[in-house]
Amino acid sequence: MDDLAVSEGFSVYGPYRTWYRVTGDLGSARLPLVVAHGGPGCTHDYVDSFKDIAGFGRAVIHYDQIGNGRSTHLPDKGGDFWTVEFFLGELDALLAHLGIQQRYALLGQSWGGMLAAEHAVRRPAGLKALVLANSLASMKLWVEGAGQLRAELPAAVRQALDRHEADGTTDHPDYLSATRAFYDRHVCRVVPWPAEVARTFAAIDADPTVYHTMNGPNEFHVVGTMRDWTIIDRLPLIEAPTLAFRGFFDEATPACVQPFLDHIPTVEGHVFPLSSHMPHVEERQDCMAVTEAFLARHD
């Protein structure tokens, strides 16, 4: 990895700037892989490990979506601004800036997978392979699954969550502690969290604009503008060969992922047995191997 070329820059989207990093050679014959992070409102840090795939000879592009990380922050914007269409436009601008819009692979993790699916149903000619990592086809299915997982938490944790949600005090330390109990089971089971994961959560805390607006205060109390989102009825439009994977303990439950397997014409699924929502962290080597093997079949 140390001998791979790494470059950083900004693409322009209207008056805004999107930070990106390229690991590897964009001139390689292999499909360049664009990685869309989750949230909405995370940063690239927690999915940084996908740069390992550059070691197989393909360029890997990470970027921070606008509103977060090293890209333009807009803390005064509201729900009418932060839309799926906005982030689709940003992605298109990035692809054009890098000159890869005619031939690329796209991996979206969690919300990034929602965004990637929205991109794919538009049938862009250059999209040659799609990876939906720990993602969901419907927010209703996500919330139902989170409710089931939440019901398995210790009684004291459940009571703290219920009490503070009812009181509107989701910033209370007891609520945040109870939230972390859920996260340690179903978001990242590596404890303590690796530095790159901790950096992403610290970034959300520093500027929660996008996350709170589109999602809500946490992963299972979804009250933001995306609460009614679904793509199930549009999944048959996806032409790109697709890999959809999740972790066995994932907050993206089997029901969240099943519509991808049922309705995308060319799709394969995978479950990482020791992981929750971050197999790229929890089973890093195996996750990279599975992802690269899929991509290599579509170069």
Side-chain angles (χ1 to χ4, degrees), residues 158-224:
R158 297 198 312 271
Q159 290 164 8
L161 295 173
D162 292 343
R163 180 172 65 255
H164 289 291
E165 286 171 4
D167 293 343
T169 52
T170 54
D171 56 350
H172 192 282
D174 290 348
Y175 184 81
L176 300 178
S177 176
T179 297
R180 181 60 185 262
F182 179 96
Y183 283 21
D184 285 346
R185 286 190 179 199
H186 302 298
V187 177
C188 182
R189 294 169 73 86
V190 178
V191 179
W193 284 346
E196 67 270 22
V197 175
R199 283 199 303 272
T200 282
F201 280 97
I204 296 173
D205 289 343
D207 184 355
T209 304
V210 180
Y211 188 74
H212 285 182
T213 299
M214 296 182 74
N215 186 79
N218 56 47
E219 294 291 275
F220 49 81
H221 188 47
V222 180
V223 293

Side-chain angles (χ1 to χ4, degrees), residues 48 56 94:
D48 186 67
F56 294 98
L94 176 64

